[in-house]
Amino acid sequence: MTEIIKLDATIPESLSGLRVDQALAQLFSEYSRGQLTKWIKAGDVLVNQKVCRPKDAVRTGDQIEIAAQQIIHDDNWQAESIALDIIYEDDDVLIINKAAGMVVHPGAGNQNGTMVNALLAHAPQLTHIPRAGIVHRIDKDTTGLLMVAKSLQAHHSLISQLQQRTVIREYQAIACGVFTAGGTVDAPVGRHHIDRKRMAVTQNGKPAVTHYRIEERFRAHTHLRCKLETGRTHQIRVHMAHIRHPLLGDPLYGGRFKTPKGMTDSCLAALQNTRRQALHAGLLGFDHPTTGEAVSWQIPLPDDMQRLLELLRMDAASHTD
């Protein structure tokens, strides 16, 4: 089954001089660069009402129009009866609290047991929505709030709000090291030039902005609240590692494990046995696709992160002068 995709945009000054395919990848980040390139080559992309080539350069003010077809879902995706922690649901949107360990989309090595499989069983009409209604991702081992569009109208609205950076997404994280103050990381994120499973801050990456503030400091760790302005793959994990404060337990970007002297055995064991990044999507907000009302949801930290904070708090208190 296919859906007609209609998109339009004006090239901003920041993208002037880039190739068409590069510029579109930044303007419409919910679509892969490969998909966008196919549309360009098929003549489905117009720049100032003219067919273009992927290598053609764009200039400030150029008008982009896309009218293309997209396969709505992979016919191999199967519905599976898997329990979902549903925070909210109406005819247009579904808000899920994703557990650690659940993959969002089926892929190589993960064809079953994913969020998509569970959603197709819960709401079979999602077979008619691109990517089963999922408009943003959460990493496999990250917990928290995920929004799902249940209608094409809602899908278009939520995608548009993501593009305009008006969706509120706030995460809680436990980072290694002690921060002196909050701040912002504004550094482009792209695929690592050697290890394709990793992301990295790279000159040719997509724009990525993460704001963070301090919630609580410990002897060698900091509890943070991170607000996403953009939503790149692994963004918070990559940005925190980039400023030398990787997330506790991060298997990809965590670096060498370090602890302060005098830590209790129970606290040390808990930190060493943390097998996932300490990251939780705790706050999500947007304008409702139908009513236009500002809506938001907030959920507490999962038990494992709460326990880690309790142990770090006890460790800090035992070393107070």
Side-chain angles (χ1 to χ4, degrees):
M1 186 177 297
T2 60
E3 178 198 13
I4 300 297
I5 303 295
K6 291 190 176 182
L7 304 167
D8 60 81
T10 301
I11 297 295
E13 185 177 353
S14 61
L15 301 183
S16 183
L18 292 182
R19 291 166 49 117
V20 174
D21 54 358
Q22 294 173 329
L24 295 192
Q26 296 196 28
L27 287 170
F28 307 109
S29 57
E30 70 273 21
Y31 301 103
S32 70
R33 184 168 168 180
Q35 178 64 75
L36 291 164
T37 299
K38 287 180 181 178
W39 289 343
I40 295 170
K41 291 180 176 178
D44 296 331
V45 177
L46 301 181
V47 178
N48 298 327
Q49 299 186 333
K50 295 181 180 179
V51 174
C52 59
R53 299 170 298 175
K55 67 179 182 179
D56 290 344
V58 294
R59 296 287 179 257
T60 304
D62 282 352
Q63 299 298 309
I64 306 296
E65 296 176 69
I66 299 177
Q69 288 189 338
Q70 174 177 275
I71 296 175
I72 287 181
H73 74 285
D74 187 328
D75 291 332
N76 293 323
W77 291 357
Q78 301 295 321
E80 295 180 48
S81 181
I82 300 170
L84 291 169
D85 184 0
I86 298 173
I87 303 299
Y88 174 83
E89 183 174 16
D90 62 24
D91 291 339
D92 299 288
V93 296
L94 179 62
I95 307 299
I96 305 290
N97 179 18
K98 190 188 84 66
M102 175 174 268
V103 175
V104 173
H105 284 103
N110 291 292
Q111 287 296 325
N112 305 105
T114 72
M115 178 72 71
V116 164
N117 300 120
L119 287 171
L120 292 176
H122 174 77
Q125 71 268 29
L126 291 177
T127 57
H128 303 295
I129 310 297
R131 304 183 74 78
I134 296 175
V135 295
H136 69 127
R137 292 185 180 216
I138 295 180
D139 296 340
K140 174 184 176 182
D141 288 322
T142 298
T143 57
L145 295 169
L146 188 76
M147 59 183 174
V148 179
K150 293 180 63 181
S151 66
L152 286 175
Q153 176 193 350
H155 185 268
H156 293 321
S157 173
L158 294 178
I159 288 291
S160 177
Q161 291 182 58
L162 283 167
Q163 290 174 348
Q164 295 170 20
R165 303 185 181 183
T166 58
V167 175
I168 300 170
R169 286 171 293 170
E170 185 180 270
Y171 289 68
Q172 292 193 55
I174 303 174
C176 297
V178 180
F179 284 73
T180 57
T184 296
V185 183
D186 185 350
V189 171
R191 194 67 60 182
H192 192 281
H193 69 288
I194 295 176
D195 186 350
R196 306 305 288 177
K197 294 181 180 180
R198 292 163 57 97
M199 306 300 287
V201 169
T202 173
Q203 185 176 0
N204 296 322
K206 296 180 179 179
V209 180
T210 303
H211 306 284
Y212 61 90
R213 70 178 190 270
I214 296 169
E215 192 73 12
E216 190 173 3
R217 293 186 185 91
F218 307 104
R219 288 204 299 144
H221 299 83
T222 306
H223 178 196
L224 298 173
R225 288 187 183 269
C226 300
K227 188 175 181 180
L228 290 180
E229 192 171 312
T230 54
R232 308 308 177 197
T233 302
H234 299 176
Q235 180 174 315
I236 293 174
R237 299 165 64 188
V238 170
H239 273 173
M240 291 301 106
H242 178 66
I243 61 173
R244 303 186 182 227
H245 288 289
L247 299 189
L248 174 64
D250 195 323
L252 272 182
Y253 309 103
R256 186 178 176 182
F257 183 77
K258 298 178 182 179
T259 55
K261 294 180 179 180
M263 183 169 279
T264 64
D265 289 343
S266 59
C267 188
L268 183 61
L271 296 183
Q272 290 176 330
N273 291 326
T274 300
R275 299 298 182 217
R276 75 171 185 94
Q277 61 272 8
L279 185 62
H280 173 69
L283 175 63
L284 175 67
F286 51 84
D287 291 339
H288 192 279
T290 299
T291 68
E293 176 188 4
V295 291
S296 65
W297 296 267
Q298 189 166 0
I299 55 173
L301 287 169
D303 291 344
D304 61 343
M305 286 184 65
Q306 290 195 40
R307 178 58 178 162
L308 286 171
L309 290 175
E310 290 172 3
L311 289 169
L312 290 172
R313 208 170 282 129
M314 291 169 59
D315 174 70
S318 68
H319 289 82
T320 301
D321 293 335

